Amino acid sequence: MTALAELDLPHLAMDEPQFAADPMPQFAAAKERHPWLAQSAFGLVVTDYRAMRELLIDDARLRPSYDGIVQLMQAEGTPWGRFTEEQMIALPASQHAVLRGLFAPRFTPRYANQMRGIMQETISDLLDEWAPKGAFDFEDFAALFPISVMFRLVGAPVAEVPKIRWALETHGLAFGMNPDHIPAVQEAVATEDEFVQRIVAERRANRDHEGGEDLLDLLLEAAEEGAITDRQLYDVLIFVFVAGYDTSKNVLTYMMYLMTQNPEIYRRCAEDLDYCRKVVEEMLRYFNPGTTFRFTNAEMEYRGVTLPKDTMLFFPLSVSGRDPGTFADPERFDPERPIEAESRHIAFGLGKHMCLGQYIARAQLQEGLHLIARRIREPKTPGPRAWRPFFGVWGIKGLPIEFTPG
């Protein structure tokens, strides 16, 4: 076995702004020096797809503790620090299992399919407003879709979308590992907390609301069945909003960028909803905004390397699907690419911490892409204005497009 200190590991400058603009060659160069491991400013980075798959399901030896993240961000004892350390994914295994057991049955493929009508109405309403313009910043448009869907799923007043969008956008800055953002993040968390507490109180006062049972009703029922605290319920709601905002927006924005380079694929998306499903799955292989992490519970050995206790490991899901050791011609975007069980994308994570909202996200992206392709025709763009930090929730920051309204 080789001690970690004995390795001459490559360094990935994932914390530097220029890294986000073109990270793939830098990961490829790192893999030439070491097949699955690199260094970064905040911890080790796992660079190999199969290593990510094996380690992300190693719950006995690895934990997703946020203690180290809160300390790195100098945010102990703050509202964001409390939420980050107590959100469902960060809880001890027994508590996590209880909460996930309560809420996971509500996030099923069947439920996601039942919500497709709401998704179609939401994107159609947005397109009615935006498509006649013939030109706009697509990221601004894309940001409104997931949050507007979530508002409809919990019966929240749409007039508050701009305020909560600001809060979610600001909350997402925390994942960039820059302590300078923490004061604004604290304000964002307070805004989210007030919002979810208010909509829960209003729903409890009016369980016989119009429109039938929605996601908020389901979550309230789950909370009552499990007798969890109101604080845990509020945190789950905040978690659902935060997890569903940046990721869906960034994937949809990058997807439009990619479609401007693949007009035949894009035209087919306007004609065939099921083909959009294939495009979305290939998209999630090709691009993912997330970087997740784990800590070692004790000293452990993996692939001949000894990792000390409490070592932080980062898993850039954003590059996992471009691993040439697993995917043939990984830089080619091909919706007809065969999907094998041993080489499925891991955009939503793996194991007991797999994303609860993955089926809602898939349905939302599929429905959104189909209707966008029908209403925004022949889009063209000069390219991204800028890029979001690679750490946390990576993606395009500003994507101007011009198009023919459909």
Side-chain angles (χ1 to χ4, degrees):
M1 295 295 170
T2 304
L4 188 61
E6 298 174 10
L7 295 175
D8 180 23
L9 294 176
H11 179 80
L12 290 168
M14 294 162 57
D15 56 315
E16 296 181 3
Q18 61 269 27
F19 186 92
D22 193 19
M24 301 306 166
Q26 300 178 70
F27 277 96
K31 288 198 70 173
E32 290 181 1
R33 285 187 55 187
H34 191 279
W36 65 275
L37 200 57
Q39 301 180 74
S40 74
F42 305 111
L44 298 177
V45 184
V46 179
T47 59
D48 177 71
Y49 168 85
R50 299 204 180 278
M52 290 189 209
R53 285 191 67 101
E54 292 167 0
L55 289 169
L56 283 171
I57 62 173
D58 195 345
D59 296 320
R61 298 193 295 173
L62 297 169
R63 69 187 190 278
S65 171
Y66 279 75
D67 294 351
I69 298 295
V70 172
Q71 291 167 359
L72 282 170
M73 294 292 283
Q74 304 166 29
E76 299 98 323
T78 67
W80 175 80
R82 183 213 62 78
F83 168 77
T84 301
E85 292 179 342
E86 296 179 12
Q87 62 181 309
M88 184 168 62
I89 193 173
L91 292 173
S94 59
Q95 296 178 44
H96 175 270
V98 169
L99 286 182
R100 191 172 182 94
L102 284 175
F103 293 113
R106 273 70 180 180
F107 289 86
T108 61
R110 179 181 178 183
Y111 176 77
N113 286 331
Q114 290 173 345
M115 295 301 103
R116 285 179 181 267
I118 289 176
M119 298 170 188
Q120 293 163 4
E121 291 173 10
T122 303
I123 193 66
S124 294
D125 288 348
L126 289 171
L127 286 164
D128 286 345
E129 176 185 354
W130 288 69
K133 298 178 181 181
F136 54 74
D137 188 320
F138 188 83
E139 191 209 6
D140 282 342
F141 169 81
L144 294 173
F145 181 35
I147 189 172
S148 297
V149 169
M150 286 302 304
F151 265 56
R152 292 196 181 195
L153 292 183
V154 299
V158 293
E160 295 193 48
V161 164
K163 178 176 71 174
I164 302 304
R165 176 192 170 188
W166 168 84
L168 296 173
E169 189 80 25
T170 304
H171 192 152
L173 295 175
F175 303 112
M177 308 290 283
N178 184 346
D180 293 343
H181 294 309
I182 285 298
V185 170
Q186 304 299 356
E187 183 181 352
V189 172
T191 300
E192 295 160 357
D193 199 35
E194 184 278 331
F195 170 71
V196 299
Q197 290 196 39
R198 178 159 41 84
I199 64 172
V200 167
E202 291 171 353
R203 180 57 56 84
R204 282 174 169 162
N206 180 24
R207 296 301 285 266
D208 298 324
H209 58 92
E210 295 181 1
E213 188 176 59
D214 62 17
L215 180 60
L216 183 54
D217 290 316
L218 295 177
L219 295 180
L220 282 170
E221 290 168 7
E224 290 159 2
E225 290 170 7
I228 67 171
T229 67
D230 281 354
R231 180 68 268 166
Q232 289 173 313
L233 173 61
Y234 302 148
D235 285 348
V236 166
L237 278 167
I238 293 173
F239 180 78
V240 168
F241 269 92
V242 171
Y245 173 68
D246 270 328
T247 50
S248 293
K249 175 202 66 171
N250 289 4
V251 170
L252 189 59
T253 301
Y254 196 99
M255 185 153 36
M256 173 54 78
Y257 176 51
L258 202 58
M259 291 300 96
T260 63
Q261 303 168 42
N262 293 273
E264 290 300 323
I265 292 175
Y266 186 67
R267 279 192 285 270
R268 187 171 171 185
C269 288
E271 302 164 357
D272 187 345
L273 177 61
D274 188 62
Y275 182 69
C276 291
R277 176 186 57 80
K278 296 181 179 180
V279 173
V280 167
E281 291 305 307
E282 174 68 347
M283 184 70 208
L284 292 169
R285 175 198 71 83
Y286 192 85
F287 169 83
N288 184 275
T291 294
T292 190
F293 59 90
R294 298 287 189 270
F295 283 86
T296 55
N297 288 326
E299 181 178 279
M300 63 175 282
E301 295 178 352
Y302 179 74
R303 291 193 182 181
V305 176
T306 301
L307 301 173
K309 182 179 183 296
D310 293 327
T311 297
M312 182 183 283
L313 296 171
F314 284 96
F315 299 85
L317 305 179
S318 39
V319 301
S320 61
R322 307 263 199 113
D323 189 335
T326 298
F327 301 94
D329 196 7
E331 296 300 321
R332 180 170 57 90
F333 185 83
D334 180 12
E336 301 292 352
R337 180 186 298 270
I339 300 177
E340 307 294 341
E342 65 275 10
S343 60
R344 291 182 180 275
H345 70 71
I346 54 175
F348 297 106
L350 290 169
K352 67 181 183 180
H353 295 290
M354 184 174 284
C355 176
L356 278 178
Q358 62 171 303
Y359 301 115
I360 292 176
R362 282 181 158 108
Q364 187 170 252
L365 289 168
Q366 182 184 355
E367 296 291 345
L369 175 59
H370 179 55
L371 292 176
I372 288 168
R374 296 180 69 177
R375 300 285 299 276
I376 295 176
R377 298 184 177 177
E378 300 176 338
K380 296 178 175 57
T381 180
R385 287 197 173 105
W387 291 86
R388 296 179 177 276
F390 188 84
F391 262 119
V393 191
W394 178 50
I396 291 171
K397 187 174 178 61
L399 183 70
I401 62 169
E402 296 181 356
F403 57 92
T404 302

